[in-house]
């Protein structure tokens, strides 16, 4: 690094100081914590500092057993093998009377012994622990042992040992992190909530906060202090395999739910994370959900306007509400990987917001800077780029070479010591805020509500409010009592498909085994409607042990034959579980086997109810007309089957609304906040049509109920407003049906004329209200005048004088901005 660049980085620190004086700290400064940090920092060696900036996977610490250790492979005798078999009590299982067995049998013996060893559970390799903590002073460990959820007792055993070693060797606790993204998803017996996309569909902030509180409590029961959630990437491309992890396509919904999740995880004081709380980690900063190719971890091409106005919005809201850490987008935008983007990491996040939280990489993403993205020649240069850009902790996760390489970079002047100290302060600050120095691990007996009935009831409630009724012709739902139901389709008898990825294992493939205590749709329906009223014939099944998309040879004829004994056909279709890059696909259409199943069943003349159980919308335009009813359950979690049964029996009412736009055509993928030129409607007549035709299956915000609602009397307290005003809208909502129901009241705005082409409309507020039959309530929704601003072509926020159309339900009115205001600050 040349002297000019070093000077530039040094000056950037001065700029940060100046900026911090004009922007209030995002998290209030705690002087006691800051004094503790400075005292400790002065005592730390450079080795200890770079170690604190490194995060490794628990896999590195696993004790590996070699049953043939100590035996000379060049002189391996039958007697040696007999001793091994005796040690593992396998003498009767393998016959050695004829001498040394074949290589195939030796492999069978080896695998059998490994199976026995695995039954002992995860064991820490003390020598490796000494290297990781004792020698390299590593500050964080992540992930789940053996790739599968552990009991809370095992979590406590593992983390207690790591913390004892860390406190003894360096006097600094480790911070352990796990992806508990929809409940306690890596702890056996823990409570699973619906995935993020379902929580977005509830439009219920309270459910999101409560879900995070429960997840935090149960995560802490295993002594884990840090969860990599919430996920607030905007799910704006249905091809993207991580669409289900966030709260849908809209930035306002993600901001609102993200804030509630942060407060649920952390509590109300980010400087003092309580016994029942954990640190949140916002992810993935940012723009991850709109790759040009639709494939995971591939480049995006996002304008500064969209980045600031939409993708940044959830992080801004969460930071302002105390989020303690953030994980970075693994991909790149306009050619620059996010992990090397100084402008976004340091300027937008740390300086502009005066945020003192910690930035952690995603999995091995510093390595990607040179191995995949080719903006560095080797690992050392990649480390330099990332750390100087603003990364505080590297999730390496298998390679502690990060530590000596970063030390070399500091000694060579390539990474300023000021940058190291800033990063280490942020790591230590997280640990002090978590009270890890005083209490590095916990006792399970102090968490008596773990996995109990109270938490289960909350998860079931969330699942019920998250399911979306998309079609209900002739009021076929709820089912009349005593009707016989044919349950069919590959998703009818699977816990795995109800949960999706990040469920007991990364790909969710262990869910049927680990979640056997919970009810599949088939089991829930059998319990609800009685075994005599349920016929099960899947017709199509997923291939066990294969790729997530693999299906067995279909047996559609069996399902068609079974329909003769049923009044209704409940076809449970969709996707098997997947996560991240393995979930990439090349075709959005539902599988041909499943399409053929529904078409064949339709020919029986029996009414079909489609249950869509999937992480993203699969195209079904050719079978949707064959169904009398359609329910989009998405990924509702372990209690999804019970929730669906309650709803279809009429014991609960639907209230979910679509958190994304469900596409109808393969080449018409769009979000609700499209530009006017992306015309939706009747095609123009004539030879030349310059309107891009867009057709959707179901719109954002769409969702039916067993009752009906009437909107009236939309009004506002300030029909003429400025940027400094708060507009209070009111609308009367009446339940005009004969059932109790909940309605999510969504308030949209449309900027009628602007200097940059405005979006067709934007969601600005929402509230959920419960109404008895015949009851009317006035729903109040507040919108800041400044919320109607947009980011102009010059990258600055502006609210322009002129008319805005406001819509709630079928009610429309106009409000007028009286004065134009432009912000000189990066954030309003």
């Amino acid at each position: 690094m040349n002297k000019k660049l070093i000077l530039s980085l040094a000056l950037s620190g001065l700029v940060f100081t100046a900026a911090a004086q004009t922007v209030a700290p995002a998290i209030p400064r705690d002087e006691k914590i800051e004094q503790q940090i400075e005292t400790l920092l002065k005592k730390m060696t450079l080795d200890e500092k770079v170690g604190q900036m490194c995060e490794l996977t628990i896999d590195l610490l696993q004790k590996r057993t070699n049953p043939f250790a100590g035996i000379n492979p060049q002189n391996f005798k039958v007697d040696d093998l007999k001793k091994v078999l005796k040690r593992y009590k396998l003498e009767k299982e393998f016959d050695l009377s004829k001498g040394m067995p074949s290589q195939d049998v030796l492999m069978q013996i080896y695998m059998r012994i490994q199976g026995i060893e695995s039954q002992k559970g995860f064991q820490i390799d003390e020598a490796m622990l000494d290297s990781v903590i004792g020698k390299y002073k590593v500050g964080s460990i992540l992930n789940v042992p053996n790739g599968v959820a552990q009991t809370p007792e095992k979590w406590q055993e593992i983390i207690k040992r790591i913390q004892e070693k860390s406190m003894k060797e360096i006097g600094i606790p480790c911070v352990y992190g796990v992806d508990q993204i929809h409940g306690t998803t890596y702890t056996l017996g823990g409570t699973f909530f619906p995935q993020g996309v379902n929580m977005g569909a509830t439009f219920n902030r309270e459910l999101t906060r409560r879900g995070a509180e429960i997840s935090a409590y149960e995560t802490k029961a295993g002594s884990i202090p840090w969860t990599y959630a919430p996920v607030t990437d905007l799910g704006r491309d249905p091809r993207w395999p991580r669409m289900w992890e966030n709260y849908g396509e809209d930035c306002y919904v993600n901001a609102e739910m993200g804030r509630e999740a942060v407060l649920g995880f952390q509590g109300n004081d980010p400087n003092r994370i309580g016994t029942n709380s954990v640190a949140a980690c916002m992810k993935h900063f940012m723009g991850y959900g709109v790759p040009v190719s639709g494939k995971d971890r591939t480049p995006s091409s996002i304008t500064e306007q969209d980045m600031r106005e939409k993708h940044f919005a959830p992080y801004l809201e969460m930071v302002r509400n105390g989020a303690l850490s953030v994980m970075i987008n693994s991909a790149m935008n306009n050619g620059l990987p996010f992990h090397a983007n100084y402008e976004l990491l340091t300027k937008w996040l740390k300086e502009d917001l005066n945020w003192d939280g910690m930035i952690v990489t995603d999995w091995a993403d510093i390595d990607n800077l040179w191995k995949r993205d080719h903006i560095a020649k080797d690992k050392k240069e990649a480390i330099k780029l990332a750390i100087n850009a603003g990364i505080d902790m590297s999730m390496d996760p298998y390679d502690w070479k990060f530590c000596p390489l970063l030390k070399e970079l500091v000694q060579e002047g390539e990474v300023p010591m000021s940058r190291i100290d800033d990063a280490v302060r942020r790591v230590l600050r997280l640990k002090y805020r978590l009270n890890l120095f005083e209490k590095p691990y916990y006792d399970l007996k102090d968490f008596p509500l773990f996995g109990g009935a109270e938490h289960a009831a909350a998860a079931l409630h969330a699942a019920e409010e998250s399911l979306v009724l998309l079609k209900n012709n002739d009021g076929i739902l709820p089912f009349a009592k005593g009707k016989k139901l044919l349950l069919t389709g590959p998703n009818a008898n699977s816990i795995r498909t109800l949960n999706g990825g990040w469920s007991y294992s990364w790909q969710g493939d262990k869910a049927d085994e680990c979640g056997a205590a919970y009810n599949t749709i088939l089991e829930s329906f059998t319990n609800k409607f009685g075994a005599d009223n349920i016929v099960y014939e899947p017709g199509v099944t997923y291939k066990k042990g294969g790729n997530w998309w693999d299906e067995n040879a279909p047996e559609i004829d069996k399902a068609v034959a079974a329909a003769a004994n049923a009044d209704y056909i409940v076809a449970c279709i969709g996707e098997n579980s997947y996560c991240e890059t393995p979930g990439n696909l090349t075709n959005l259409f539902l599988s041909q086997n499943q399409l053929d199943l529904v078409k064949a069943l339709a020919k029986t003349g029996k009414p079909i109810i489609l249950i869509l159980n999937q992480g993203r919308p699969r195209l079904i335009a050719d079978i949707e007309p064959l169904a009398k009813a359609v329910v989009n359950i998405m990924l509702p979690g372990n209690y999804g089957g019970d929730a669906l049964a309650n709803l279809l029996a009429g014991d609960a009412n639907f209230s979910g609304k679509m958190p994304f736009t469900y596409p109808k055509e393969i080449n018409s993928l769009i979000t609700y906040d499209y530009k006017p030129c992306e015309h939706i409607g009747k095609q123009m007549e004539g030879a030349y049509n310059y309107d891009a035709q867009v057709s959707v299956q179901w719109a954002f915000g769409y969702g039916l109920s067993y009752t009906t609602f009437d909107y009236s009397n939309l009004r506002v307290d300030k029909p003429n407003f400025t940027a400094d005003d708060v507009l209070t809208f009111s609308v009367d909502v009446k339940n005009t049906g004969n059932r109790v129901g909940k309605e999510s009241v969504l308030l949209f705005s449309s900027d009628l004329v602007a200097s940059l082409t405005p979006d067709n409309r934007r969601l600005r507020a929402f509230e959920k209200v419960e109404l008895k039959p015949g009851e009317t309530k006035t729903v109040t929704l507040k919108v800041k005048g400044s919320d109607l601003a947009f980011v102009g072509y010059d990258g600055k926020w502006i609210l322009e004088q002129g008319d805005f159309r406001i819509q709630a339900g079928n009610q429309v009115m106009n409000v007028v901005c009286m004065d134009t205001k432009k912000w000189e600050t990066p954030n309003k």
Side-chain angles (χ1 to χ4, degrees):
M1 180 184 291
N2 61 38
K3 292 181 179 179
K4 286 185 178 180
L5 184 52
I6 295 174
L7 179 61
S8 174
L9 286 165
L11 289 173
S12 73
L14 297 176
V15 173
F16 170 65
T17 302
Q21 293 173 354
T22 59
V23 179
I27 300 173
R29 181 180 171 89
D30 186 295
E31 290 301 334
K32 181 181 178 182
I33 289 177
E34 297 305 317
Q35 289 173 11
Q36 290 173 316
I37 291 169
E38 294 308 315
T39 300
L40 181 54
L41 193 67
K42 289 176 183 176
K43 299 176 181 177
M44 292 175 69
T45 66
L46 181 55
D47 286 317
E48 290 171 336
K49 289 179 179 180
V50 298
Q52 287 299 298
M53 296 170 66
C54 183
E55 182 178 44
L56 300 177
T57 178
I58 188 67
D59 294 350
L60 272 179
L61 298 180
Q62 182 163 13
K63 186 176 182 180
R64 311 284 176 178
T65 300
N66 179 6
F68 304 128
I71 299 174
N72 183 354
Q74 305 300 324
N75 191 25
F76 195 10
K77 299 176 181 177
V78 172
D79 288 343
D80 295 323
L81 189 55
K82 285 180 178 179
K83 291 177 183 178
V84 172
L85 292 179
K86 184 176 181 180
R87 190 188 318 149
Y88 287 96
K89 300 178 181 179
L90 297 175
E91 308 101 308
K92 296 179 181 179
E93 197 168 320
F94 296 94
D95 181 12
L96 302 184
S97 61
K98 296 180 180 179
M100 185 65 73
S102 67
Q103 287 295 318
D104 287 344
V105 173
L106 281 173
M107 181 55 69
Q108 290 174 22
I109 292 172
Y110 177 81
M111 296 306 295
R112 182 74 177 84
I113 292 172
Q114 290 302 318
I116 293 170
E117 289 290 344
S118 68
Q119 293 301 311
K120 300 177 183 178
F122 178 88
Q123 302 294 318
I124 286 180
D125 184 326
E126 288 293 331
M128 188 62 73
L129 183 65
D130 192 56
S131 292
V132 169
I133 303 294
K135 182 177 181 181
Y136 291 102
K137 322 296 183 186
V138 167
S140 181
I141 305 294
L142 84 152
N143 217 4
V144 56
N146 295 319
V148 67
Q150 303 291 304
T151 64
E153 293 88 351
K154 175 57 76 170
W155 274 124
Q156 288 190 333
E157 173 193 320
I158 292 168
I159 292 174
K160 181 181 180 183
R161 180 66 196 112
I162 292 171
Q163 295 291 36
E164 288 172 343
K165 184 72 172 179
S166 191
M167 294 302 290
K168 178 183 177 182
E169 293 292 335
I170 49 181
I172 300 172
C174 173
V175 59
Y176 202 108
V178 173
D179 292 275
Q180 310 258 43
I181 74 162
H182 68 109
T184 324
T185 50
Y186 270 139
T187 307
L188 291 172
T191 306
F192 283 28
F193 274 74
Q195 292 280 6
V197 70
N198 286 71
M199 299 307 293
T202 69
F203 284 91
N204 188 328
R205 298 174 180 87
E206 182 182 344
L207 293 180
T208 298
R209 185 182 293 206
R210 182 63 180 142
E213 287 174 349
I214 289 171
S215 176
Y217 177 96
E218 295 190 350
T219 297
K220 208 63 167 292
S223 289
I224 301 169
W226 189 23
T227 185
Y228 301 134
V231 182
T232 57
D233 309 310
L234 306 186
R236 297 170 71 81
D237 189 332
R239 300 171 300 168
W240 189 50
R242 306 191 73 167
M243 186 174 175
W244 45 271
E245 294 185 42
N246 55 74
Y247 301 106
E249 71 185 38
D250 179 63
C251 63
Y252 176 69
V253 174
N254 273 277
E256 292 292 292
M257 297 305 196
R259 179 193 66 235
E260 296 304 309
V262 165
L263 293 172
F265 284 130
Q266 296 186 173
N268 294 317
D269 185 354
N271 280 310
R272 292 169 183 81
I273 304 301
T275 298
N276 297 338
S277 300
V278 297
C281 186
M282 313 171 282
K283 66 182 191 183
H284 306 81
F285 185 80
M286 57 189 168
Y288 191 20
V290 288
V292 174
S293 71
K295 302 290 195 294
D296 186 43
R297 286 174 163 81
T298 59
S300 58
S301 183
I302 306 170
T303 64
E304 182 180 359
Q305 287 77 22
D306 263 6
M307 190 71 85
R308 175 75 72 181
E309 196 173 319
K310 294 180 181 177
H311 298 281
F312 187 52
Y315 299 95
L316 177 63
E317 182 68 15
M318 290 185 289
V319 163
R320 286 174 169 172
N321 282 274
L324 294 181
S325 64
V326 65
M327 186 183 295
I328 306 305
N329 177 354
S330 294
M332 68 181 71
N333 190 58
N334 297 328
L336 181 60
F338 284 86
H339 281 77
N341 193 320
Y342 177 87
E343 174 76 10
L344 297 183
L345 302 187
T346 296
K347 187 141 185 33
W348 283 36
L349 193 54
K350 293 180 175 179
E351 295 180 4
D352 291 349
L353 298 181
N354 198 359
W355 180 65
D356 63 6
M358 191 190 80
I359 297 178
V360 62
T361 74
D362 204 340
W363 190 269
D365 275 330
I366 288 183
D367 274 349
N368 282 334
L369 297 181
W370 68 282
K371 289 182 177 179
R372 182 193 69 183
D373 300 329
H374 305 295
I375 67 166
K377 67 178 183 293
D378 54 24
K379 185 180 182 77
K380 186 174 179 178
E381 185 177 21
I383 292 170
K384 178 181 74 172
L385 291 174
I387 301 303
N388 284 337
I391 294 295
D392 301 312
M393 180 181 282
S394 173
M395 185 190 294
D396 237 58
Y398 290 100
D399 187 3
W400 53 51
K401 289 178 185 173
F402 169 88
C403 299
L405 289 174
L406 180 54
K407 180 180 179 181
E408 289 176 15
L409 287 164
V410 175
Q411 292 171 334
E412 295 163 3
E414 295 292 303
V415 174
M417 196 65 212
S418 59
R419 174 75 271 272
I420 298 296
D421 285 345
D422 174 60
V424 176
R425 284 187 182 98
R426 293 170 185 273
V427 175
L428 296 177
R429 191 176 289 120
L430 176 65
K431 294 180 178 184
Y432 277 114
R433 284 168 166 166
L434 284 166
N435 197 34
L436 291 177
F437 285 86
E438 297 296 323
K439 200 167 181 64
Y441 50 86
Y442 290 78
D443 193 324
L444 181 59
K445 68 178 176 57
D446 296 327
F447 298 86
L449 299 180
F450 177 88
E454 179 184 330
H455 293 179
L460 174 62
H461 182 194
E464 288 175 347
E465 290 205 20
S466 77
L467 274 53
V468 185
L469 180 61
L470 295 172
K471 184 178 182 179
N472 192 22
N473 288 359
D474 304 322
I476 193 171
L477 299 177
F479 289 129
K481 292 190 181 299
K483 297 294 183 180
K484 287 191 178 293
L485 310 177
L486 167 63
L487 258 66
T488 186
N491 295 48
N493 194 29
S494 169
I495 289 293
R496 174 179 176 177
T497 61
L498 290 176
N499 281 294
W502 297 122
S503 303
Y504 299 110
S505 60
W506 178 39
Q507 295 295 311
D509 56 316
K510 303 291 193 301
D512 286 323
E513 172 190 344
C514 295
Y518 304 96
N519 293 324
T520 66
I521 294 174
L522 172 63
E523 291 164 342
S524 296
F525 275 49
T526 301
N527 294 339
K528 176 67 67 172
F529 300 107
D532 292 343
N533 292 321
I534 300 297
V535 180
Y536 173 59
E537 189 58 62
V540 176
T541 53
Y542 297 118
K543 189 173 184 179
K544 190 167 185 173
N547 294 312
W548 65 268
W549 62 84
D550 287 339
E551 295 172 351
N552 296 309
E555 297 180 314
I556 294 173
D557 290 346
K558 288 184 178 180
V560 171
N565 300 316
D567 298 306
Y568 300 113
I569 298 168
V570 181
C572 303
I573 58 177
E575 298 181 313
N576 207 352
S577 73
Y578 54 83
C579 193
E580 298 190 71
T581 303
N584 285 341
L585 47 62
T586 56
N587 191 335
L588 259 183
F589 286 102
L590 192 67
S591 80
Q592 192 61 51
N593 285 339
Q594 296 187 55
L595 293 172
D596 290 344
L597 173 66
V598 175
K599 290 173 182 177
L601 289 168
K603 292 177 182 178
T604 68
K606 299 295 179 69
I608 294 176
I609 293 85
L610 291 182
I611 307 300
L612 307 179
N613 174 200
Q614 52 201 14
R616 56 191 153 198
R618 303 302 293 267
L619 302 184
I620 57 168
D622 54 343
I623 61 170
E624 179 274 327
L626 305 178
K628 294 282 283 186
V630 181
V631 181
N632 190 16
I633 71 170
M634 297 169 283
L635 300 174
N638 277 335
Y639 297 96
D642 297 334
L644 181 62
N646 290 345
L647 288 160
L648 296 197
D651 297 336
N653 198 350
F654 284 97
S655 66
K657 290 183 181 290
M658 288 297 298
F660 58 83
T661 304
Y662 200 117
K664 187 174 185 179
E665 307 291 350
I666 192 67
N667 290 326
S668 292
L669 307 180
I670 198 169
T671 54
Y672 86 95
D673 50 351
Y674 61 89
K675 298 297 183 184
C677 60
E678 301 174 272
H679 179 66
I680 294 181
K682 183 179 179 182
Q683 189 166 350
M684 288 172 54
E685 297 179 1
Y688 299 99
N689 173 24
Y690 294 102
D691 286 338
Q693 291 303 301
V694 177
S695 180
V696 302
Q697 194 77 58
W698 292 287
F700 171 84
Y702 180 80
L704 302 174
S705 168
Y706 290 147
T707 190
T708 52
F709 300 96
D710 181 64
Y711 286 68
S712 63
N713 197 22
L714 176 63
R715 57 219 185 259
V716 67
D717 65 335
K718 296 183 181 70
N720 301 316
F721 70 95
T722 67
D724 298 325
D725 289 325
V726 175
L727 289 76
T728 302
F729 294 93
S730 300
V731 64
D732 296 337
V733 183
K734 181 179 182 180
N735 182 343
T736 54
N738 57 11
R739 287 176 177 264
V740 173
K742 290 184 178 181
E743 171 73 347
S744 292
V745 180
L746 312 183
L747 187 80
F748 296 92
S749 74
S750 299
D751 194 344
L752 298 185
V753 178
S755 55
L756 278 188
T757 298
D759 294 335
N760 177 60
R761 62 178 185 162
R762 292 284 298 278
L763 181 67
R764 300 302 186 185
F766 63 84
E767 293 295 338
K768 198 164 193 175
V769 59
E770 183 174 61
L771 295 167
K772 299 173 184 176
E775 184 180 11
T776 299
K777 286 185 179 178
T778 297
V779 179
T780 301
L781 304 119
K782 293 183 180 294
V783 178
K784 295 178 183 177
S786 58
D787 287 347
L788 301 180
F790 63 94
V791 177
Y793 200 73
D794 60 0
K796 295 183 178 180
W797 285 97
I798 185 169
L799 174 66
E800 294 178 340
Q801 183 178 359
D803 287 13
F804 290 81
R805 183 172 60 243
I806 305 297
Q807 180 181 6
N810 61 357
Q811 299 290 294
V812 178
M813 68 174 300
N814 277 22
V815 293
V816 181
C817 177
M818 303 303 292
D819 296 303
T820 296
K821 177 176 180 177
K822 178 177 280 193
W823 282 260
E824 293 304 321
T825 54
N827 301 296
K828 295 184 276 103

